[in-house]
Structures are given as C-alpha cells and as structure tokens.
Amino acid sequence: MNIFERIVSGEIPCNKVLENDDFLAFHDISPRAPIHILVIPKKCYENFQVTPPEVMVGLSSFIKEVAVKMGLDKTGYRLVCNCGENSGQEVMHLHFHILGGTKLPWDNTNGANTHDKF
Ligand code: 5GP
C-alpha cells in the first residue's frame, strides 16, 4: 500500500480537512504555502494520466468544496498536480495540491533556467 492508501485506511493519521465516500482532503505534512492541502480519491489511481475522466468530475466538485471550507474561493488558490517522473511526483496515488493563504510566486516554478531552450 502507498502512503496515501495507508492514510485512507486510518493506519497513518492525517490532519483532515474534508471527507466524503470517495475523496479525502488533508493538510500536507511539509507545507509549501501557508495553506497547503492534498486532495485524493480514496481509490488509488497512479497518476492523473491514468485516472478515468468520470473520477475527475467528482474530484473537481470536491476540490471546490475544500476551497470554500478554507475560504480560498474568496482569496484564490493554485491547484498543482504532478504527473509522472519529470514532474517530480513522489507519491504514486493521484493527488492535487491546493496552495493558498498568500500571493503565490509564479516564477521558478518549473526548476528550469529561464535561458534554457525547450
Ligand atoms: P508529490 O511530489 O507526489 O506531488 O507530492 C506528495 C506530497 O505528499 C508532498 O507534498 C509531501 O509533503 C506529501 N506527503 C508525503 N507523505 C505524507 C504524509 O505522510 N502525510 C501528509 N499529510 N503528507 C505527506
């Protein structure tokens, strides 16, 4: 079982924000913003690329509920989904990062030198 499945099962504790039958939101253990929440489906899909679109319908509604609960719908937030090796995805269980609570910098988000050629 991956670490998020162990959180879903209750084996590992989390600081829960919101939960329903299919999805769970909890605070990231090493926050990169004043508010940093992870949103996951309880069922494991390895990453965004292999997740069925119908799962994303429920997940996007759930993310909006989390944003409202945290007041982020008023102030704004960033959604991040690392997908696969080049993104630096560490936990192979679909998750969205909700980042907020401050004005978020937009530069240096991809780790690339601005002079790099793509
Ligand atoms: P990724 O790099 O895969 O997109 O993000 C994985 C995230 O999971 C990281 O931000 C990391 O801090 C978070 N994380 C890893 N293990 C745990 C844990 O046991 N509990 C919580 N709450 N977050 C975790």
Side-chain angles (χ1 to χ4, degrees):
M1 279 209 291
N2 67 54
I3 194 111
F4 290 170
E5 287 176 292
R6 293 166 70 192
I7 286 173
V8 168
S9 76
E11 182 191 335
I12 294 179
C14 71
N15 187 358
K16 185 164 68 177
V17 174
L18 194 65
E19 180 177 20
N20 68 17
D21 287 347
D22 299 319
F23 306 109
L24 175 66
F26 52 96
H27 292 276
D28 196 291
I29 204 165
S30 16
R32 289 168 172 79
I35 298 174
H36 185 172
I37 295 166
L38 298 173
V39 181
I40 65 170
K42 291 185 175 177
K43 181 170 177 193
C44 178
Y45 304 95
E46 192 175 325
N47 61 37
F48 179 76
Q49 192 64 26
V50 300
T51 301
E54 54 272 24
V55 173
M56 293 308 304
V57 174
L59 186 50
S60 71
S61 291
F62 186 74
I63 287 169
K64 291 179 197 177
E65 272 184 62
V66 173
V68 168
K69 180 160 188 188
M70 299 302 294
L72 294 170
D73 58 320
K74 306 274 191 304
T75 55
Y77 57 92
R78 180 171 297 152
L79 267 187
V80 173
C81 179
N82 292 320
C83 178
E85 188 181 344
N86 275 1
S87 73
Q89 182 182 357
E90 286 174 0
V91 180
M92 296 302 145
H93 182 131
L94 175 69
H95 53 282
F96 281 82
H97 301 255
I98 303 179
L99 299 154
T102 191
K103 284 221 181 275
L104 299 162
W106 184 236
D107 56 335
N108 288 328
T109 49
N110 62 9
N113 185 302
T114 48
H115 300 296
D116 286 350
K117 299 232 177 345
F118 295 101

